[in-house]
Amino acid sequence: MSASGRIESGSSKLQFNPAKATKKNKLLALVIGMDRIKIQTSLLEGLSVKAIAHIEKALGIDQKTFLLISGMSKATLSRRKQAGRLTPDESSKVYRFVQLYDLVKAMMLDDDEKAKNWLKTPEPLFGGNTPLEHARTEFGAKEVEDLIGRIRHGVFS
């Protein structure tokens, strides 16, 4: 991501600017807020564990699926619930899925169901994994962002 908030994705450029996101991008606003400084501060302090419930609901996934895509164990989640906060690294992973959801939702013209279905549909480009499964790593998330950019710009290669 460049300093301007633009995600470089191959020959296409996919814009995601939290400060300019509309109210239709409710997940980001709900989980963290829209101000860049607040986002950075929240990620460094660790998001509230309540963010997980918002993400599970928005993505239409259960806790088992969340644990799979986040790489978090059930025991770790239990400890985080007691503490009330995620670690900065865990928060960044959660933010990755929030960002992807909002990008896909925008691609689907703000249709929640289509966005959920797209994220949970196996994709041959990702070895048969769903975009959510593929986004478990930073590399995978960037590949999903790249695909979204290519779809939005009509570049199918």
Short mmCIF file of all heavy atoms in Angstrom, two decimals, residues 7-55:
data_model
loop_
_atom_site.label_atom_id
_atom_site.label_comp_id
_atom_site.label_asym_id
_atom_site.label_seq_id
_atom_site.Cartn_x
_atom_site.Cartn_y
_atom_site.Cartn_z
N ILE A 7 -3.75 0.89 -2.93
CA ILE A 7 -3.17 -0.44 -2.93
C ILE A 7 -2.66 -0.71 -4.33
O ILE A 7 -3.42 -0.66 -5.30
CB ILE A 7 -4.22 -1.50 -2.53
CG1 ILE A 7 -4.73 -1.21 -1.13
CG2 ILE A 7 -3.65 -2.90 -2.65
CD1 ILE A 7 -5.93 -2.02 -0.75
N GLU A 8 -1.37 -0.97 -4.44
CA GLU A 8 -0.78 -1.28 -5.74
C GLU A 8 -1.10 -2.73 -6.04
O GLU A 8 -0.78 -3.61 -5.27
CB GLU A 8 0.74 -1.07 -5.70
CG GLU A 8 1.15 0.32 -5.29
CD GLU A 8 0.74 1.41 -6.27
OE1 GLU A 8 0.60 1.11 -7.47
OE2 GLU A 8 0.56 2.54 -5.82
N SER A 9 -1.72 -2.98 -7.16
CA SER A 9 -2.05 -4.35 -7.51
C SER A 9 -1.78 -4.57 -8.99
O SER A 9 -2.64 -4.35 -9.82
CB SER A 9 -3.49 -4.68 -7.17
OG SER A 9 -4.35 -3.60 -7.33
N GLY A 10 -0.56 -4.98 -9.26
CA GLY A 10 -0.18 -5.24 -10.64
C GLY A 10 -0.29 -3.98 -11.46
O GLY A 10 0.16 -2.92 -11.07
N SER A 11 -0.94 -4.08 -12.61
CA SER A 11 -1.09 -2.92 -13.46
C SER A 11 -2.31 -2.10 -13.10
O SER A 11 -2.45 -0.97 -13.53
CB SER A 11 -1.20 -3.36 -14.93
OG SER A 11 -2.35 -4.17 -15.07
N SER A 12 -3.21 -2.65 -12.28
CA SER A 12 -4.36 -1.87 -11.86
C SER A 12 -4.14 -1.32 -10.46
O SER A 12 -3.32 -1.81 -9.71
CB SER A 12 -5.62 -2.75 -11.88
OG SER A 12 -5.51 -3.76 -10.92
N LYS A 13 -4.86 -0.28 -10.14
CA LYS A 13 -4.73 0.32 -8.82
C LYS A 13 -6.09 0.25 -8.16
O LYS A 13 -7.08 0.70 -8.70
CB LYS A 13 -4.25 1.75 -8.93
CG LYS A 13 -2.88 1.80 -9.57
CD LYS A 13 -2.26 3.14 -9.35
CE LYS A 13 -1.02 3.32 -10.16
NZ LYS A 13 0.07 2.55 -9.98
N LEU A 14 -6.12 -0.33 -6.98
CA LEU A 14 -7.35 -0.50 -6.23
C LEU A 14 -7.32 0.48 -5.09
O LEU A 14 -6.42 0.43 -4.26
CB LEU A 14 -7.44 -1.94 -5.72
CG LEU A 14 -8.63 -2.32 -4.89
CD1 LEU A 14 -9.90 -2.17 -5.72
CD2 LEU A 14 -8.50 -3.75 -4.44
N GLN A 15 -8.26 1.36 -5.04
CA GLN A 15 -8.26 2.37 -4.00
C GLN A 15 -9.04 1.91 -2.79
O GLN A 15 -10.13 1.38 -2.92
CB GLN A 15 -8.90 3.66 -4.53
CG GLN A 15 -8.08 4.27 -5.62
CD GLN A 15 -7.97 5.76 -5.47
OE1 GLN A 15 -8.25 6.30 -4.41
NE2 GLN A 15 -7.57 6.41 -6.52
N PHE A 16 -8.45 2.10 -1.65
CA PHE A 16 -9.17 1.89 -0.40
C PHE A 16 -8.68 2.94 0.57
O PHE A 16 -7.55 2.89 1.02
CB PHE A 16 -8.93 0.50 0.20
CG PHE A 16 -9.70 0.30 1.47
CD1 PHE A 16 -11.06 0.08 1.43
CD2 PHE A 16 -9.08 0.40 2.69
CE1 PHE A 16 -11.78 -0.08 2.60
CE2 PHE A 16 -9.80 0.26 3.86
CZ PHE A 16 -11.15 0.02 3.81
N ASN A 17 -9.49 3.89 0.84
CA ASN A 17 -9.12 4.97 1.74
C ASN A 17 -10.15 4.99 2.86
O ASN A 17 -11.28 5.43 2.65
CB ASN A 17 -9.11 6.30 0.99
CG ASN A 17 -8.65 7.44 1.86
OD1 ASN A 17 -8.65 7.33 3.07
ND2 ASN A 17 -8.27 8.53 1.24
N PRO A 18 -9.81 4.49 4.06
CA PRO A 18 -10.78 4.43 5.16
C PRO A 18 -11.41 5.79 5.45
O PRO A 18 -12.57 5.87 5.80
CB PRO A 18 -9.95 3.95 6.35
CG PRO A 18 -8.80 3.26 5.75
CD PRO A 18 -8.52 3.95 4.45
N ALA A 19 -10.65 6.86 5.31
CA ALA A 19 -11.17 8.19 5.62
C ALA A 19 -12.25 8.60 4.63
O ALA A 19 -13.11 9.42 4.95
CB ALA A 19 -10.04 9.22 5.62
N LYS A 20 -12.23 8.04 3.42
CA LYS A 20 -13.21 8.40 2.40
C LYS A 20 -14.28 7.35 2.22
O LYS A 20 -15.13 7.47 1.34
CB LYS A 20 -12.50 8.66 1.07
CG LYS A 20 -11.65 9.90 1.09
CD LYS A 20 -11.06 10.16 -0.27
CE LYS A 20 -10.22 11.43 -0.23
NZ LYS A 20 -9.61 11.72 -1.52
N ALA A 21 -14.23 6.29 3.00
CA ALA A 21 -15.22 5.23 2.87
C ALA A 21 -16.60 5.77 3.23
O ALA A 21 -16.74 6.60 4.11
CB ALA A 21 -14.86 4.06 3.79
N THR A 22 -17.60 5.31 2.51
CA THR A 22 -18.96 5.79 2.76
C THR A 22 -19.58 5.07 3.94
O THR A 22 -19.05 4.09 4.44
CB THR A 22 -19.84 5.54 1.51
OG1 THR A 22 -19.96 4.13 1.35
CG2 THR A 22 -19.23 6.18 0.28
N LYS A 23 -20.74 5.55 4.34
CA LYS A 23 -21.45 4.88 5.43
C LYS A 23 -21.88 3.48 5.02
O LYS A 23 -22.18 2.67 5.86
CB LYS A 23 -22.66 5.71 5.84
CG LYS A 23 -22.28 6.96 6.58
CD LYS A 23 -23.49 7.67 7.12
CE LYS A 23 -23.06 8.89 7.89
NZ LYS A 23 -24.14 9.53 8.58
N LYS A 24 -21.89 3.22 3.71
CA LYS A 24 -22.23 1.88 3.24
C LYS A 24 -21.16 0.88 3.65
O LYS A 24 -21.41 -0.30 3.72
CB LYS A 24 -22.41 1.88 1.73
CG LYS A 24 -23.63 2.66 1.30
CD LYS A 24 -23.77 2.66 -0.19
CE LYS A 24 -24.97 3.50 -0.61
NZ LYS A 24 -25.10 3.57 -2.05
N ASN A 25 -19.96 1.35 3.89
CA ASN A 25 -18.87 0.48 4.36
C ASN A 25 -18.95 0.43 5.88
O ASN A 25 -18.05 0.86 6.57
CB ASN A 25 -17.52 1.03 3.90
CG ASN A 25 -17.43 1.11 2.41
OD1 ASN A 25 -18.15 1.88 1.78
ND2 ASN A 25 -16.57 0.32 1.83
N LYS A 26 -20.01 -0.14 6.38
CA LYS A 26 -20.31 -0.09 7.81
C LYS A 26 -19.40 -0.96 8.66
O LYS A 26 -19.20 -0.67 9.82
CB LYS A 26 -21.76 -0.48 8.05
CG LYS A 26 -22.73 0.49 7.46
CD LYS A 26 -24.14 0.02 7.67
CE LYS A 26 -25.10 0.98 6.99
NZ LYS A 26 -26.46 0.53 7.08
N LEU A 27 -18.87 -2.03 8.11
CA LEU A 27 -18.07 -2.92 8.93
C LEU A 27 -16.83 -2.22 9.46
O LEU A 27 -16.52 -2.30 10.64
CB LEU A 27 -17.69 -4.19 8.17
CG LEU A 27 -16.99 -5.27 8.99
CD1 LEU A 27 -17.84 -5.69 10.19
CD2 LEU A 27 -16.66 -6.46 8.12
N LEU A 28 -16.13 -1.51 8.61
CA LEU A 28 -14.94 -0.78 9.06
C LEU A 28 -15.33 0.25 10.13
O LEU A 28 -14.69 0.33 11.18
CB LEU A 28 -14.26 -0.08 7.89
CG LEU A 28 -13.03 0.73 8.25
CD1 LEU A 28 -11.92 -0.17 8.78
CD2 LEU A 28 -12.53 1.50 7.05
N ALA A 29 -16.37 1.01 9.88
CA ALA A 29 -16.81 2.02 10.85
C ALA A 29 -17.24 1.36 12.16
O ALA A 29 -16.93 1.87 13.24
CB ALA A 29 -17.96 2.83 10.28
N LEU A 30 -17.91 0.24 12.06
CA LEU A 30 -18.41 -0.45 13.25
C LEU A 30 -17.27 -1.04 14.08
O LEU A 30 -17.26 -0.93 15.31
CB LEU A 30 -19.37 -1.57 12.83
CG LEU A 30 -20.09 -2.33 13.91
CD1 LEU A 30 -21.00 -1.40 14.70
CD2 LEU A 30 -20.90 -3.45 13.29
N VAL A 31 -16.31 -1.65 13.42
CA VAL A 31 -15.24 -2.36 14.12
C VAL A 31 -14.18 -1.40 14.65
O VAL A 31 -13.72 -1.54 15.77
CB VAL A 31 -14.60 -3.42 13.20
CG1 VAL A 31 -13.37 -4.04 13.84
CG2 VAL A 31 -15.62 -4.51 12.88
N ILE A 32 -13.80 -0.42 13.85
CA ILE A 32 -12.67 0.43 14.24
C ILE A 32 -13.00 1.91 14.23
O ILE A 32 -12.62 2.65 15.11
CB ILE A 32 -11.46 0.19 13.30
CG1 ILE A 32 -11.07 -1.28 13.30
CG2 ILE A 32 -10.27 1.04 13.72
CD1 ILE A 32 -10.00 -1.65 12.31
N GLY A 33 -13.68 2.36 13.22
CA GLY A 33 -13.91 3.78 13.03
C GLY A 33 -13.37 4.17 11.67
O GLY A 33 -12.82 3.35 10.95
N MET A 34 -13.51 5.41 11.32
CA MET A 34 -13.13 5.83 9.98
C MET A 34 -11.87 6.70 9.96
O MET A 34 -11.32 6.94 8.91
CB MET A 34 -14.29 6.60 9.33
CG MET A 34 -15.55 5.77 9.21
SD MET A 34 -15.34 4.23 8.32
CE MET A 34 -15.31 4.85 6.67
N ASP A 35 -11.44 7.18 11.08
CA ASP A 35 -10.29 8.08 11.13
C ASP A 35 -8.99 7.27 11.08
O ASP A 35 -8.81 6.32 11.85
CB ASP A 35 -10.37 8.90 12.42
CG ASP A 35 -9.20 9.81 12.60
OD1 ASP A 35 -9.16 10.87 11.95
OD2 ASP A 35 -8.29 9.45 13.38
N ARG A 36 -8.07 7.64 10.19
CA ARG A 36 -6.81 6.90 10.02
C ARG A 36 -6.01 6.82 11.32
O ARG A 36 -5.45 5.77 11.63
CB ARG A 36 -5.94 7.57 8.95
CG ARG A 36 -6.44 7.36 7.56
CD ARG A 36 -5.48 8.06 6.59
NE ARG A 36 -5.84 7.77 5.24
CZ ARG A 36 -5.51 6.65 4.60
NH1 ARG A 36 -4.81 5.72 5.19
NH2 ARG A 36 -5.89 6.45 3.36
N ILE A 37 -5.93 7.89 12.05
CA ILE A 37 -5.17 7.89 13.31
C ILE A 37 -5.82 6.94 14.30
O ILE A 37 -5.14 6.16 14.98
CB ILE A 37 -5.06 9.32 13.90
CG1 ILE A 37 -4.39 10.27 12.90
CG2 ILE A 37 -4.34 9.29 15.24
CD1 ILE A 37 -2.98 9.86 12.51
N LYS A 38 -7.15 6.97 14.37
CA LYS A 38 -7.86 6.07 15.28
C LYS A 38 -7.64 4.61 14.87
O LYS A 38 -7.48 3.74 15.73
CB LYS A 38 -9.35 6.38 15.32
CG LYS A 38 -10.07 5.49 16.29
CD LYS A 38 -11.51 5.84 16.46
CE LYS A 38 -12.06 4.85 17.47
NZ LYS A 38 -13.40 4.92 17.75
N ILE A 39 -7.64 4.34 13.57
CA ILE A 39 -7.42 2.98 13.11
C ILE A 39 -6.05 2.50 13.57
O ILE A 39 -5.91 1.42 14.15
CB ILE A 39 -7.55 2.87 11.57
CG1 ILE A 39 -9.00 3.10 11.16
CG2 ILE A 39 -7.05 1.52 11.07
CD1 ILE A 39 -9.21 3.25 9.66
N GLN A 40 -5.03 3.30 13.30
CA GLN A 40 -3.65 2.92 13.69
C GLN A 40 -3.55 2.73 15.20
O GLN A 40 -2.99 1.73 15.67
CB GLN A 40 -2.66 3.98 13.20
CG GLN A 40 -1.24 3.74 13.62
CD GLN A 40 -0.57 2.57 12.90
OE1 GLN A 40 -1.19 1.83 12.17
NE2 GLN A 40 0.71 2.40 13.14
N THR A 41 -4.09 3.64 15.96
CA THR A 41 -4.04 3.55 17.42
C THR A 41 -4.78 2.31 17.92
O THR A 41 -4.27 1.58 18.77
CB THR A 41 -4.65 4.82 18.06
OG1 THR A 41 -3.93 5.95 17.58
CG2 THR A 41 -4.59 4.77 19.58
N SER A 42 -5.95 2.06 17.35
CA SER A 42 -6.75 0.90 17.76
C SER A 42 -6.02 -0.40 17.47
O SER A 42 -6.06 -1.34 18.26
CB SER A 42 -8.10 0.90 17.06
OG SER A 42 -8.87 2.00 17.45
N LEU A 43 -5.36 -0.47 16.32
CA LEU A 43 -4.63 -1.68 15.96
C LEU A 43 -3.44 -1.90 16.88
O LEU A 43 -3.15 -3.02 17.29
CB LEU A 43 -4.19 -1.64 14.50
CG LEU A 43 -5.31 -1.69 13.46
CD1 LEU A 43 -4.75 -1.50 12.06
CD2 LEU A 43 -6.11 -2.97 13.56
N LEU A 44 -2.75 -0.82 17.22
CA LEU A 44 -1.59 -0.94 18.10
C LEU A 44 -1.99 -1.28 19.53
O LEU A 44 -1.27 -2.00 20.23
CB LEU A 44 -0.77 0.35 18.08
CG LEU A 44 -0.01 0.61 16.78
CD1 LEU A 44 0.59 2.01 16.79
CD2 LEU A 44 1.07 -0.44 16.56
N GLU A 45 -3.12 -0.77 19.99
CA GLU A 45 -3.60 -1.07 21.35
C GLU A 45 -4.27 -2.44 21.41
O GLU A 45 -4.37 -3.03 22.48
CB GLU A 45 -4.61 0.00 21.78
CG GLU A 45 -3.99 1.35 22.03
CD GLU A 45 -5.02 2.41 22.37
OE1 GLU A 45 -6.26 2.13 22.27
OE2 GLU A 45 -4.62 3.53 22.70
N GLY A 46 -4.74 -2.90 20.28
CA GLY A 46 -5.47 -4.17 20.22
C GLY A 46 -6.96 -3.90 20.19
O GLY A 46 -7.49 -3.17 21.03
N LEU A 47 -7.62 -4.47 19.21
CA LEU A 47 -9.06 -4.29 19.07
C LEU A 47 -9.80 -5.01 20.18
O LEU A 47 -9.31 -6.01 20.73
CB LEU A 47 -9.54 -4.84 17.73
CG LEU A 47 -9.05 -4.14 16.48
CD1 LEU A 47 -9.53 -4.90 15.25
CD2 LEU A 47 -9.51 -2.70 16.44
N SER A 48 -10.97 -4.54 20.48
CA SER A 48 -11.85 -5.23 21.42
C SER A 48 -12.24 -6.58 20.81
O SER A 48 -12.41 -6.69 19.59
CB SER A 48 -13.11 -4.40 21.65
OG SER A 48 -14.10 -5.17 22.30
N VAL A 49 -12.39 -7.59 21.64
CA VAL A 49 -12.81 -8.90 21.14
C VAL A 49 -14.20 -8.84 20.52
O VAL A 49 -14.58 -9.72 19.75
CB VAL A 49 -12.76 -10.01 22.23
CG1 VAL A 49 -11.34 -10.31 22.62
CG2 VAL A 49 -13.60 -9.65 23.41
N LYS A 50 -14.95 -7.79 20.81
CA LYS A 50 -16.27 -7.62 20.20
C LYS A 50 -16.17 -7.51 18.68
O LYS A 50 -17.12 -7.81 17.97
CB LYS A 50 -16.96 -6.38 20.77
CG LYS A 50 -17.33 -6.50 22.22
CD LYS A 50 -17.94 -5.23 22.75
CE LYS A 50 -18.19 -5.34 24.24
NZ LYS A 50 -18.71 -4.09 24.80
N ALA A 51 -15.01 -7.09 18.19
CA ALA A 51 -14.80 -6.98 16.75
C ALA A 51 -15.00 -8.33 16.07
O ALA A 51 -15.48 -8.40 14.94
CB ALA A 51 -13.40 -6.43 16.46
N ILE A 52 -14.64 -9.40 16.76
CA ILE A 52 -14.76 -10.74 16.18
C ILE A 52 -16.23 -11.07 15.88
O ILE A 52 -16.55 -11.58 14.81
CB ILE A 52 -14.13 -11.80 17.10
CG1 ILE A 52 -12.62 -11.57 17.18
CG2 ILE A 52 -14.45 -13.21 16.62
CD1 ILE A 52 -11.92 -12.42 18.22
N ALA A 53 -17.11 -10.77 16.81
CA ALA A 53 -18.54 -11.04 16.59
C ALA A 53 -19.07 -10.24 15.41
O ALA A 53 -19.87 -10.76 14.61
CB ALA A 53 -19.34 -10.72 17.86
N HIS A 54 -18.63 -8.99 15.27
CA HIS A 54 -19.06 -8.17 14.14
C HIS A 54 -18.59 -8.78 12.82
O HIS A 54 -19.34 -8.81 11.84
CB HIS A 54 -18.52 -6.75 14.26
CG HIS A 54 -19.09 -5.97 15.39
ND1 HIS A 54 -20.45 -5.73 15.54
CD2 HIS A 54 -18.51 -5.37 16.44
CE1 HIS A 54 -20.66 -5.02 16.63
NE2 HIS A 54 -19.49 -4.79 17.20
N ILE A 55 -17.37 -9.26 12.81
CA ILE A 55 -16.81 -9.84 11.59
C ILE A 55 -17.50 -11.15 11.25
O ILE A 55 -17.85 -11.40 10.09
CB ILE A 55 -15.29 -10.01 11.72
CG1 ILE A 55 -14.66 -8.64 11.67
CG2 ILE A 55 -14.73 -10.91 10.64
CD1 ILE A 55 -13.22 -8.62 11.98
#
